[in-house]
Amino acid sequence: MDNWITKQAALLPDRVAVDDGTERLTFSGLAERLKKLVGQLNRSGALAGRRVAIMTSNSLLGYQMALAILASGRTIVWVNWRLSDDEINQQLSDSRPSVCLVADSLWRDSFGGKFIKFSQVCQQAAQPEELTSQFQQETVASIMYTSGTTGAPKGVMQTFGNHFSSAVASSLNLGILPRDEWLCAVPIFHISGFSIMMRGLIYGMTVRLVSRFDPQVIDTILRKEPVTTMSVVPYMLKKLLDLRDQHAGGYNKRFRCMLLGGGPIDRQTLTRCQKYGIPVVQSYGMTETCSQIVALNNEDADKKVGSVGKPLFLTQLKLAADNHEILIKTPALTPGYLNRPGALAKKKTATGWYHTGDVGHLDAAGFLYVDGRIDDMIISGGENIFPDEIEAVYATYPGIEDIAVIGVSDPEWGQSPVAFIVSSKPLSASALSDYGRQRLAHYKVPRRFYRLDRLPMNAGGKIQRFKLKERLNEGR
Amino acid sequence: MDNWITKQAALLPDRVAVDDGTERLTFSGLAERLKKLVGQLNRSGALAGRRVAIMTSNSLLGYQMALAILASGRTIVWVNWRLSDDEINQQLSDSRPSVCLVADSLWRDSFGGKFIKFSQVCQQAAQPEELTSQFQQETVASIMYTSGTTGAPKGVMQTFGNHFSSAVASSLNLGILPRDEWLCAVPIFHISGFSIMMRGLIYGMTVRLVSRFDPQVIDTILRKEPVTTMSVVPYMLKKLLDLRDQHAGGYNKRFRCMLLGGGPIDRQTLTRCQKYGIPVVQSYGMTETCSQIVALNNEDADKKVGSVGKPLFLTQLKLAADNHEILIKTPALTPGYLNRPGALAKKKTATGWYHTGDVGHLDAAGFLYVDGRIDDMIISGGENIFPDEIEAVYATYPGIEDIAVIGVSDPEWGQSPVAFIVSSKPLSASALSDYGRQRLAHYKVPRRFYRLDRLPMNAGGKIQRFKLKERLNEGR
């Protein structure tokens, strides 16, 4: 394929490619900027190798830096700025980029010679350089380290073909409407955000870039600007609904889709969305599949609460006969993990089905429900229990701020669930048990409740259940 | 990929897949019909081999028969019903299908044992059969014989991947809007029509099937039914505009695109389209590329009359340095011609650029203009002359019903143009010359005008210039 940026600069030179609220860059303007940046990156020594790492928030300059890496024919290594120094160094020593570009605002004094501030790049006096002419299907465009709730992070390689397939599958579900504009408030170093950038280039669509999730700012944008689509996680959606409760007047008339990832919507939240006429498309995907591979349309949302929908046009899906693990095939699937040649093959069957690590079930009409991570599944007396269900029930218990459930060995039942809770004051264990018995099958009620100051989380905000298990084992 | 028909039956069971004005088949209904038809085809012996030929007009039954061939895992061999017996037998002996299915209305007494009427298939008492689960990218879905204006027809193999890429490239240009409905009045045995069927399956879109091009009927449909898009050739567009001149009231409000192939639009026709608010997208493509690979948007139509537009997102395009032949790369390009293993490679450069056989030029903004077929090009005194340009000038000459221009050897200029005209009465050669001199460069004016009863045409309606050359040579 032709370089997507130069292609859109040729096809739609005057269309706005990205708009951060202060500046609007057309596709031709973007291409010119990138030529200059590629010259400066080259002069900075950033293009000496095949890969360039980048650590940035959702700034317009970070956006351009990332695309300049692609447009120079190099691979982006995305670095989550929430990581510790050790974690960053671990990822960089695995991916070995020429340099790690760092947004000035995220600079740390601990950073050594391999790190370059954006401002250092922009100060270079350099001639503009021609952009690479080709984005080859098989070329690795980006590497993202998976959040690693259970082990060392692995670098997921995402090819141009993966990103293209993902964007096409999404378009066959959501459509491509004239002057679509996608709001990106999710991090561009996650697949949720980077996939919006890629769709922008492939559809010739405007991306409305937002530096961080400020509900009040986003609400104003959705009301006053011609944004048509936004990607959200449940937390963001709920915060936006809180503001809808307070303000009169709906979003702009062209708004047509909240694309929801990171967990299914509950009935109460759905009802609030319906009340305000906000269309929600629930989706399911992962870093390894370049974002969504399954989605629930707005029309089905009401009668299929809790479902993540049906496999998209390019997704083939089935459940493993034994443990109901979700298995998929999709052209958006990563070719593998960096420096771990056998690691992906281990997660695939002989006939090429990829093990997602999630357990699910399908209803009679083919709608998928994700029950939980197979590694988190607790088997008690032959019954499968997923922590998510128990946690969701206790999430509304007065005084509980946070909760995580894991399984522990049980001489009688094989395993049984126990809970770790965060609360500002001690809570009665018997009251907690009673509460669970009224709402859950008996075998799902946690046998013990441990109180913690905070739950162990990774940089992506996911609970590290393996640390809770270690803690229990140490306590023995 | 999953079988596109069963996939849409799962994703959008209640959406109308095809509507011929008397019956509307949903995707789930279509899948059920095809199961039955596959059983009947099997029982008829039609599925004994890898290929099944079909000769049909745009009937709903023909539509289903063709899809049943695909859904049974076989390859469709499309037969143009305008061909002579000899031409049909030539194509069938090349493609060797199990049988040739024939619409009852197109049956000929000359047809032998290899031909089966649709009604014979439908009379079979057979159990429904499961449809093939997969449409593999590399599998040949269809074979279409090229019209062959210069030689023996060649069977163009079109894979599912070719059709998919073509549909995706089109969607990235035209968008995919909710409840799009595409009117198919062009023959389904041509790529113009079959590509609509394929888009229907890929987008989950309704195809409004019309049995033949009756301008009055089509005009009524475009006014009264929610059709959004229609594929036309210039002749059809002009006939539809004639009716617009006569009738008040525009097309239905959702109508958004006349996709025009088979030749560029002239200023007068464009002005008429603008007058009636009919958006036109000029396009350029061929059987070998599964339809359009270049297109001109409606917004650019006015300032770029005569251009076929810019290469679509998945099309790479350049002009040969020497003769300005249009060279392309696209994932929609055929893998080759049936039984002619080296034939496609001969039309490709060492680096994979496909020679279209058309000569063109690009303007400064990157818009493509197709000048004509390289085989028809006349080189006179070092200047390139294309018959199309001369023919277009004389098309409006009073008394000329049809005209074709070819080049003949000229001792002084190398070649010079001569014209063959169809007219009900003899026309003055000197008046014809004068007319040309006022409108064309001197070297483009035909040196001689030969009068014929009719021009030699192939079944696709294209002029066979090689026959005119033979005629002149025989006359010597």
Side-chain angles (χ1 to χ4, degrees), chain A residues 98-163:
Chain A
S98 316
V99 300
C100 180
L101 306 172
V102 182
D104 289 32
S105 60
L106 299 174
W107 186 261
R108 303 180 193 178
D109 291 338
S110 53
F111 285 166
K114 208 172 190 176
F115 295 80
I116 307 182
K117 276 186 191 174
F118 285 178
S119 57
Q120 287 175 271
V121 175
C122 296
Q123 280 157 15
Q124 297 288 338
Q127 288 298 309
E129 289 188 22
E130 278 310 300
L131 307 183
T132 184
S133 66
Q134 303 286 302
F135 280 3
Q136 300 286 3
Q137 294 267 354
E138 306 75 21
T139 300
V140 177
S142 48
I143 293 169
M144 281 184 192
Y145 283 83
T146 44
S147 43
T149 52
T150 55
K154 295 195 286 268
V156 178
M157 299 191 284
Q158 299 160 335
T159 66
F160 285 107
N162 293 153
H163 288 296

Side-chain angles (χ1 to χ4, degrees), chain A residues 394-406:
Chain A
Y394 279 97
T396 52
Y397 188 93
I400 288 189
E401 288 162 23
D402 220 343
I403 178 165
V405 171
I406 64 168

Side-chain angles (χ1 to χ4, degrees), chain B residues 82-94:
Chain B
R82 296 196 191 92
L83 297 176
S84 69
D85 282 7
D86 281 357
E87 288 170 313
I88 291 172
N89 287 325
Q90 198 181 357
Q91 294 184 6
L92 295 186
S93 67
D94 185 52

Side-chain angles (χ1 to χ4, degrees), chain B residues 327-349:
Chain B
L327 309 180
I328 53 133
K329 286 186 183 181
T330 162
L333 183 69
T334 176
Y337 299 100
L338 186 66
N339 300 329
R340 295 163 186 256
L344 190 80
K346 274 187 201 152
K347 296 170 89 174
K348 277 175 149 180
T349 67

